[in-house]
Structure formats: structure tokens, C-alpha cells
Amino acid sequence: MPPATGWTGSRQLLRRLRNVMAGAGTAQQRLDQIVRLIAGDMVAEVCSCYVMRAGEVLELFATEGLKPEAVHKTRLGLGEGLVGDIAAHMRPLALADAQSHPNFAYRPETGEEIYHSLMGVPIIGAGRVRGVLVVQNRTQRNYTEEEVETLETIAMVLAELVAGGQLIDPSEPLAADPAAGHQFRIEGVRLSGGLAIGSAVLHQPRITITRMIAEDPQVELGRLRSAVTGMRSALDAMLAAPDVSAGGELRDVLETYRMFAEDRGWLGRIREAIQSGLTAEAAVQKVLNDTRARMSQITDPYLRERLLDLEDLNNRLLQHLTGTMATAETALPEDVVLIARSMGPAELLDYDRARLRALVMEEGSGTSHVAIVARALDIPIVGRARGVLEKVEPGDRVVVDADNAQVFLRPSDEIVDSFEQSVRAREAAQRHYAALRDQPAETVDGTVVSLNLNAGLLIDMSNLDVTGADGVGLYRTEIAFMVRSEYPDVKVQTELYRRILDRAGNHPVTFRTLDVGADKKLPYFEHEDDENPAMGWRSLRIGLDRPAILRQQIRAMIAAAAGRRLRIMFPMVTEVAEFDAARELVNAELERCRRHGSPVPAPLELGTMVEVPALALQLPHLLKRVDFLSVGSNDLLQFLFATDRGSPRLSERYDSLSPVVLRLLADIARHGEKAGVPVTLCGEMAGRPLEAMALVGIGYRSLSMAAVSVGPVKVMLRSLPLVALQSYLASALDRADHSLRGVLQAFARDRGVIL
Ligand code: PEP
Ligand code: MG
């Protein structure tokens, strides 16, 4: 049933549009006819089309209803007025009372003051805003969701005319920047560290859809069906590839992703769009545009990740439909720097890894699947590099300095030279670290420090071999939970832990029980909306309140150990009683094993993280109960300084090398030594050579860090006169300074410690 406003149905309108677009006359004449047609069909007094011009200015190109003299005269900047707002946010607006909207900008030449309601949608082509399509009514009309959708469909069809180079000279640059073609430095966030130089390859091959309006929806539905089948088989083949099927979590990530390919809601929306008169590829594109528009509103990180996966699938399906399947393997340059809006893990794996040097994305977060996979494969990524897609051209030279979260487009020769030097120095350092692999981490005066790895993916386990580390000091089990779409049962967990222990061989592995909550959310678990999530219902607090989860994890670890050595560590312990309660659960599981005659781990070591200051004040009691401690300085410092560890604004405010921190950490180490309980430190500071030097100076003999840090920390240790450092630090710790960083740097410089 057509709505009461007198719609003639979008399919009919699309047909008429097609006739006009294919008809005679100049592009301008056709656009004039089109706005008339839309206004009539939508029972709107006004229909206007704004086109994006150089300098990111939206120019009124055609109108039915506004004053004709405003055409080619009215111009709005990106973000200016409601039209600019629609373009800037790439999202539709439907307002019954447009003039009361804070962004309303009145343009007298248009005569639009008499129109109260407004509905507008962006015209998007090749992922960019090409213009805005608007209808207006005199009355305060409440446009329906269906009407917005129809206008979006029309805008998609119009994109062809607007972006097709007939309305404006195709050589007119869209970029605002007069310096287009010049070098740029873009800042983002570091999602996976490293340095790389290469040629820009745009990830999305900018597929051009040539046919928008369908003759027969049944034919299009058939094309969709075969494309979906083709896409599913390609995903299956990817899952079966040897490096993926052996890759543990890599496989889980892809399987989650494969699930989306079965998603009825998504395919249903595409079918609906086909029924409205679009071709299959135009329908997929429409769903992709809608998804992007919705994405810009969503802040929940988990949901955003799922939408990114979905976007990835949309693209994949589009490629199957248009036959543009090749990721241009043949045309790929030797050194590829991939540039993408966002990317799913499967897409990254499509590229030839031997050529892939780095990835730069407009979006992305550290917990995104693609970041987890890239880190495991050692591919540097800079995420949230805003504007990179606008500025880059395929083939441009790009320098990616992911360590410092920056990207240089078309860099000058000096920048390239200096980066090539850095890359060479880095490679030389890697060779040096590799040569030290089997050398002990021993100070010049003979103290040996145990260096261990922080890990979270099965693929990380190969780093034991690469670095020569003593063991895994922190295995973050929650990462495996985070990359799955459903809760892994005891069987799945047992298999995972067994594979980790198998790969570790004789190296000890310290499994940390689930540390979720705060910024680590599980898709299938209801998290509390605490006001301060870092201090909320998280980690062991969840484990003790929902003992089934913790019990199953412990059961799986015990089964995986199958009589071998097992180290279990509890996170976020705040009082001794919580450790006791957790230990009770372990004891009950051991008892269960004995009853069933299954092997119990030997030895079984239980410990806690020290992440909450309150626990650091109960050490004498705690140390009587535990087999080991590991200081989680990331959390301990955030609670000590009352400073959100993720806040960029506060990240430099307090220093991890302040005398207060070092006194507290020294105290923990001293208590451990006195009680004969080994103490490790596994927060980020352990992996920074200067911090590691200070830690060893105040008594730490075991550190756990990311694999890339093992080499630099070992080099530091092998040049460190420890006894001299100890006496140097003795008096310094009592100071009231903001930080001892300068003092420690001076020591290192004077005593030849390599940092
Ligand atoms: C820490 O808090 O220091 C720690 C190692 O744990 P995570 O970073 O996983 O919170
Ligand atoms: Mg922590």
C-alpha cells in the first residue's frame, strides 16, 4: 500500500528516473528533469540537488521549488547548514521543523523560508560524498523511515550522474587541500607497531556499478543467490588453507566472520532493496551505504567491530557480483602499503603476505580483529588515520611509522632517506637480537634476570623460539574468548590450553584466568554498565560471582596440563579472601580429578596479579598463600594515581618512574624475596629498557613483556653494572621528585648502559 502522501512506489519512480538518465539532453538538463520528477513523485514542494565542488563546497545545481536564480549561486561549506551537515556526517536527516534545528543556515536567495520540513540524504559515490539530495515541504511533514530509504535509493542512482564527470569537469579536484599532490603527515593511532615504506594500494578496488536499475527483480535475486554461494565457497577455501586451519584464533576469527555470511538480516535487506527495483549490485551497495551511515552513530566498540566485518562482506559480495574478484595480485607492487577505510581479517589474509608491508585505516581500534591478526603476523598498522583516503592516490609512496602512529604520504626524499636508515637500523638491531637469542640476560656483574613473554594468541607461542625467552609470564586467556562469537565450552578451552602447553614444551606458561570487563567485553556476556568500568564488575570479581565460568576455565586448564606443570594466576585480586575463594575452586576441581582418576598437574602453582594497591598492603598475609606474584603495573599505576590508563590526555601526567611508584614496587619485590616467593612484573613498563633497568635496580629478577621487547631489554641488561645502579638508587628513591627518569637516563649515559 502506498503511503498517504501519495507515493507512486519507488520501483515505478526508479524506472522513470532511468528513462530520464538515459534520455537526451545535457547532464544539467537531465538533472533539472530529475528534481522535478522527484518533487512530483514525493509530493514535495521542493526538490534540490547539491553537488560537491572543489574546496569541499556544496553548490546548488538543480532545484524544483526554490528560486531558480539561486542555482549555481548558493554554496555551503562541508558541515555548514543542514545540507553541509548531511554531507559532513554522511547521514540522512528528516526534520518536521527544519528551521528550529541548530544547524539551519538561512540563504535569502533561495526563498526557502516558507518551507518548514526537510528531508535530505547524502549522494555517495566511490565511498565519498558527491552531493546532497533534499526535499522540502511547506507543512511540518513527518517523513517516514520508508521515505528516507526511498530518497537514499534515488540518491544512489543519482550518484552515477553526479560523479560521472558530466556535470562538472572530472579534472576538478575534490580535495579541499590546495596542496593535493604534495606531501602530508597524518596522525592516527598505533594498532600494531613497526616501520614500513611502500606504494599505496587502495584496498577497495573502487568498484564502479554501471547498472543501477533492474529490468526484472527475479533475475537479480538469482544473481544474488549465485554470488552468495560463490562467496561462501571462497570463505570455506580460506578457512581450509593450511596456515589458517593451524592458526588457532586466526581460524576462530574467520569462523565468526563466516557466520555473518549466513546472516539472514543482512541478506534480507539486500533482497528488499532488489524488490524496490535496484540491481543486485546496487542493492548490496545500498546496504553498505546504510551500514556505514549507521556505523558513524555507534560507539560500542564490539558492535562497531561486527559492523566492520559486515562491511567487509558487503564488499566481498560486490566483487562476486561484478566479477572484479582479483585483488590485483599481478598488479601488486613489491612493497604494498594497504590503505582502507576499515578491513576485516579475511580481507587482510587475501593479500600476498610476502608483499604486504603495512596497513593504514581510517577506522579501527586496537581490539579489532584485523589488528589482532596483523599483530600476530607482525604487520604494522596505523588506525584512525583520518582523511588518508581523501589524500592518497594509488601508487603514492607512503612511509608508515606505526611506532609513532604517523603516516607520511608522498614524503620528501629526506624523509624517505631518514626512514630507510631507521628501517636498516631496525633490521640490524633485529639481527643483533637474534644473535643474542641464546645468550643469558645477565648484567655485567653477573646477575641473571629471567625474561618472559606476554602472549594472548596461539600464534604468539612461536615467539618463544624466536626470542629465546624463558617462558610465558602472562598468557591473557581472555583474548581467545574475545575473538569468538560464542562462549568456548570446557572442551574447546581444554584443546586450546593443551595446544599452548604443547607449543611451550619445557618453558613454563602462566595462564591468567579470564580478565574481562572494563575495556574487554565478550560478545555473548552481559556486562554491567558501571560508571567506572575499570573499577567495576570485572575480572576475578565476575569469576567469583559467576563461579561456573571460572570453574570451567580451571577444569579445562587442569585437563590440558594432563599431569604436566600448571601455573594459574588470578587477576584483579583486591583482598586475600578473594584469593582464598579462588583457590577453593581450584581445590574442588583437583578433588574432582582425583575422584575420576584423572591426572592432576604436577607441580600446580597458584599466584595472583598485584594490580590493586589494597593488595599491596596485605603482602605478608598474601605471600603465605601464593606460589608466585606478578605485578600488573598497567592497572596498579592507574589505581595508584587515580588515572585512567587509556586516557591520552593523562598519559604523560604521571610517570611510571616516579619515586612513589618505584618505592611501592621495591616494597613488593622485597616482601617477595623475604618470603621466598618469586615476583615478576608483567605490565608494559617491563618491556621498556629504561624502566626495566630501574626495575632490576630495585630488586626484580623476572620480567614479562611483549616479544619485540625481549631483545632491547636483554641488550640493556648485558651492559648494566647492577651493583652501581643499586647504590645510585638507594638515596634517590626517597626524593619527592615528579620522576627519576632524568636521573636514571644520566646513570645509563655515564655508565654506558645501552638503552
Ligand atoms: C596489567 O594490568 O599490568 C596487566 C599486565 O594486565 P592487563 O594489561 O591485561 O590489564
Ligand atoms: Mg591488568
Side-chain angles (χ1 to χ4, degrees):
M1 256 245 319
T5 44
W7 289 80
T8 50
S10 60
R11 220 147 108 194
Q12 210 173 327
L13 174 60
L14 285 184
R15 254 190 227 128
R16 291 165 66 194
L17 274 181
R18 182 185 53 191
N19 292 342
V20 175
M21 284 179 58
T26 63
Q28 177 71 53
Q29 285 164 340
R30 277 177 282 154
L31 191 63
D32 292 340
Q33 277 188 54
I34 286 170
V35 289
R36 226 170 296 138
L37 195 65
I38 300 170
D41 199 270
M42 297 194 120
V43 199
E45 281 92 15
V46 176
C47 175
S48 313
C49 180
Y50 294 80
V51 175
M52 183 73 87
R53 309 237 31 188
E56 294 188 321
V57 169
L58 291 149
E59 180 177 311
L60 180 64
F61 251 69
T63 184
E64 169 69 13
L66 296 184
K67 290 184 184 161
E69 53 270 32
V71 172
H72 298 304
K73 190 168 158 220
T74 295
R75 291 173 143 230
L76 292 152
L78 198 65
E80 188 188 354
L82 296 174
V83 168
D85 186 282
I86 292 165
H89 296 102
M90 275 173 120
R91 59 154 191 232
L93 275 183
L95 304 166
D97 182 11
Q99 292 175 15
S100 66
H101 191 282
N103 283 359
F104 181 79
Y106 174 56
R107 287 299 159 92
E109 72 275 11
T110 61
E112 65 180 330
E113 63 277 17
I114 51 173
Y115 303 107
H116 285 102
S117 47
L118 175 146
M119 165 168 72
V121 298
I123 301 172
I124 298 166
R128 299 180 189 199
V129 178
R130 304 298 181 156
V132 173
L133 183 63
V134 176
V135 295
Q136 289 173 275
N137 280 80
R138 274 176 196 265
T139 54
Q140 293 208 346
R141 175 167 163 184
N142 285 305
Y143 301 99
T144 64
E145 226 171 84
E146 192 187 359
E147 289 166 336
V148 175
E149 287 224 341
T150 305
L151 199 63
E152 282 179 321
T153 308
I154 296 168
M156 249 189 73
V157 175
L158 261 187
E160 195 188 326
L161 182 67
V162 171
Q166 300 161 22
L167 279 176
I168 46 175
D169 181 352
S171 66
E172 180 173 311
L174 278 184
D177 221 307
H182 295 181
Q183 55 171 307
F184 282 104
R185 178 178 161 277
I186 298 177
E187 275 188 31
V189 293
R190 165 194 165 138
L191 298 187
S192 168
L195 276 178
I197 300 184
S199 307
V201 170
L202 298 194
H203 163 57
Q204 276 163 22
R206 290 194 183 150
I207 297 169
T208 4
I209 300 175
T210 45
R211 224 167 43 90
M212 289 277 182
I213 302 164
E215 297 291 338
D216 180 355
Q218 290 313 318
V219 173
E220 298 305 314
L221 288 172
R223 292 183 59 227
L224 177 69
R225 261 194 308 278
S226 43
V228 168
T229 312
M231 180 182 76
R232 284 181 185 155
S233 344
L235 279 173
D236 285 341
M238 204 181 281
L239 275 163
D243 51 348
V244 172
S245 55
E249 288 84 357
L250 220 53
R251 188 183 166 84
D252 291 323
V253 168
L254 283 183
E255 267 174 355
T256 312
Y257 184 82
R258 166 80 161 74
M259 235 182 49
F260 278 104
E262 314 281 348
D263 184 273
R264 287 183 194 284
W266 172 58
L267 288 173
R269 283 197 298 282
I270 298 174
R271 280 193 209 103
E272 256 168 42
I274 291 179
Q275 297 287 10
S276 81
L278 293 178
T279 57
E281 49 270 50
V284 173
Q285 183 68 53
K286 178 171 186 305
V287 173
L288 178 64
N289 290 347
D290 294 352
T291 310
R292 278 190 192 138
R294 275 208 313 279
M295 256 174 59
S296 66
Q297 321 278 314
I298 289 175
T299 49
D300 177 82
Y302 181 76
L303 272 185
R304 280 187 71 84
E305 290 318 326
R306 304 292 67 73
L307 287 168
L308 292 185
D309 285 355
L310 205 55
E311 176 157 352
D312 180 354
L313 273 180
N314 271 287
N315 273 319
R316 199 163 278 274
L317 189 54
L318 212 49
Q319 290 172 9
H320 276 271
L321 275 166
T322 54
T324 41
M325 275 313 293
T327 27
E329 287 265 324
T330 42
L332 276 187
E334 273 302 305
D335 299 308
V336 174
V337 173
L338 261 190
I339 316 276
R341 176 181 304 284
S342 65
M343 189 184 253
E347 289 183 301
L348 185 69
L349 295 173
D350 269 350
Y351 287 89
D352 176 0
R353 255 167 271 165
R355 290 167 188 249
L356 197 54
R357 299 288 168 263
L359 169 62
V360 179
M361 294 193 292
E362 289 245 352
E363 309 214 350
S365 74
T367 51
S368 60
H369 285 164
V370 70
I372 292 173
V373 170
R375 271 197 297 266
L377 300 173
D378 204 15
I379 298 169
I381 311 187
V382 174
R384 281 184 256 151
R386 301 266 182 248
V388 66
L389 276 173
E390 296 280 314
K391 298 191 168 78
V392 75
E393 285 303 323
D396 275 351
R397 187 137 66 149
V398 185
V399 163
V400 179
D401 173 12
D403 289 342
N404 297 301
Q406 54 181 348
V407 177
F408 296 86
L409 297 183
R410 302 178 283 271
S412 63
D413 288 345
E414 294 85 72
I415 290 185
V416 173
D417 282 351
S418 99
F419 269 85
E420 276 172 349
Q421 273 174 25
S422 305
V423 170
R424 275 197 297 274
R426 215 180 140 97
E427 284 168 359
Q430 298 298 353
R431 281 195 298 276
H432 180 49
Y433 301 145
L436 286 180
R437 203 196 87 114
D438 298 318
Q439 301 295 318
E442 186 177 354
T443 64
V444 290
D445 36 16
T447 297
V448 176
V449 178
S450 170
L451 299 186
N452 298 277
L453 298 182
N454 292 351
L457 286 169
L458 197 52
I459 207 162
D460 293 334
M461 297 302 291
S462 56
N463 287 326
L464 275 176
D465 248 7
V466 176
T467 59
D470 295 321
V472 175
L474 167 65
Y475 198 99
R476 293 181 163 104
T477 58
E478 63 275 4
I479 298 196
F481 282 68
M482 285 161 69
V483 299
R484 283 174 167 79
S485 58
E486 50 188 55
Y487 177 73
D489 61 16
V490 176
K491 198 162 151 253
V492 172
Q493 287 188 56
T494 306
E495 175 59 14
L496 174 65
Y497 304 143
R498 191 185 55 70
R499 289 171 75 180
I500 294 165
L501 289 172
D502 287 352
R503 291 212 188 168
N506 291 327
H507 303 282
V509 177
T510 305
F511 286 108
R512 178 174 74 182
T513 61
L514 217 48
D515 183 23
V516 293
D519 59 332
K520 301 176 204 161
K521 303 244 190 310
L522 301 183
Y524 38 81
F525 189 82
E526 261 197 53
H527 293 273
E528 291 287 304
D529 279 334
D530 291 309
E531 277 207 15
N532 280 313
M535 298 197 269
W537 195 57
R538 58 173 285 205
S539 198
L540 185 66
R541 297 165 186 181
I542 299 179
L544 293 178
D545 291 352
R546 299 268 184 281
I549 301 177
L550 188 54
R551 199 178 293 129
Q552 289 183 13
Q553 203 178 17
I554 293 167
R555 187 171 301 168
M557 285 173 184
I558 291 175
R564 289 178 284 187
R565 178 179 186 183
L566 177 64
R567 288 165 64 82
I568 303 180
M569 173 160 79
F570 301 105
M572 280 293 289
V573 177
T574 307
E575 53 181 22
V576 171
E578 288 174 337
F579 173 74
D580 289 341
R583 188 174 51 187
E584 275 311 303
L585 288 177
V586 177
N587 286 342
E589 283 308 310
L590 291 176
E591 194 44 47
R592 190 173 170 275
C593 284
R594 291 191 190 101
R595 273 202 316 274
H596 288 84
S598 10
V600 294
L604 171 67
E605 292 151 84
L606 297 183
T608 76
M609 304 270 300
V610 181
E611 295 175 287
V612 183
L615 193 67
L617 298 172
Q618 303 164 60
L619 290 175
H621 295 291
L622 183 68
L623 285 162
K624 283 191 199 123
R625 294 158 155 88
V626 293
D627 297 307
F628 64 90
L629 289 183
S630 187
V631 180
S633 52
N634 305 340
D635 275 315
L636 185 62
L637 266 58
Q638 85 164 337
F639 298 130
L640 188 67
F641 286 131
T643 304
D644 184 338
R645 67 192 254 190
S647 162
R649 197 175 276 211
L650 295 175
S651 63
E652 313 246 303
R653 189 169 190 102
Y654 306 105
D655 197 2
S656 50
L657 290 178
S658 87
V660 174
V661 171
L662 294 180
R663 273 205 302 276
L664 174 65
L665 296 179
D667 199 45
I668 300 171
R670 212 169 21 247
H671 271 96
E673 202 194 345
K674 211 165 98 197
V677 173
V679 180
T680 299
L681 189 139
C682 63
E684 296 307 307
M685 65 185 290
R688 294 194 284 263
L690 183 69
E691 277 84 339
M693 179 183 96
L695 290 170
V696 173
I698 58 173
Y700 285 80
R701 296 295 172 263
S702 173
L703 300 172
S704 191
M705 61 198 71
V708 288
S709 298
V710 172
V713 169
K714 192 185 273 190
V715 167
M716 178 280 293
L717 287 169
R718 293 174 60 82
S719 60
L720 174 67
L722 178 58
V723 176
L725 175 64
Q726 282 164 331
S727 49
Y728 189 79
L729 272 175
S731 57
L733 289 192
D734 282 330
R735 296 195 200 180
D737 298 18
H738 162 71
S739 169
L740 296 182
R741 188 167 294 273
V743 170
L744 287 159
Q745 273 163 340
F747 173 86
R749 207 173 36 244
D750 295 347
R751 307 302 298 251
V753 183
I754 304 171
L755 295 176

